[in-house]
Amino acid sequence: IGGGQKRPTKSGAGLTAKGVAKYRKQNPGSKLKTAVTEKNPTGKKAARRKSYCARSAGQMKKFPKAAKNPNSRLRQARKRWRC
């Protein structure tokens, strides 16, 4: 993943739209999407957010060191997704 394709930790971690496009090009059939960052998503977007937040909560348990650090990629991504 090169420049402009991965969001820096300070701005919420995760892939940018450009990074997702590159990944999908390299992996045909992939359904990877960018983060759901809107305040009140409905329908499928709300379900994606709920699912991500549940999965990442498990990561918080599995990696307590990252969970304690407010600047970790995990914490920043959860903040961006509004978990």
Side-chain angles (χ1 to χ4, degrees):
I1 307 265
Q5 297 165 7
K6 189 168 76 172
R7 193 175 303 281
T9 304
K10 288 183 178 172
S11 66
L15 291 178
T16 62
K18 184 179 173 183
V20 169
K22 180 179 179 181
Y23 179 86
R24 290 186 68 175
K25 188 175 181 182
Q26 290 174 344
N27 298 278
S30 168
K31 295 179 181 175
L32 185 69
K33 296 177 183 176
T34 56
V36 178
T37 57
E38 58 192 74
K39 280 200 172 180
N40 294 311
T42 56
K44 289 184 179 181
K45 285 185 179 183
R48 275 187 65 230
R49 177 187 283 171
K50 185 176 179 183
S51 177
Y52 172 79
C53 290
R55 286 195 317 273
S56 62
Q59 293 292 303
M60 296 275 278
K61 285 183 181 177
K62 191 172 182 181
F63 301 103
K65 192 173 178 183
K68 288 177 187 167
N69 179 3
N71 296 320
S72 69
R73 293 187 72 75
L74 174 60
R75 289 277 297 272
Q76 290 297 316
R78 284 179 56 84
K79 183 178 177 183
R80 182 161 176 258
W81 278 75
R82 298 190 175 150
C83 291

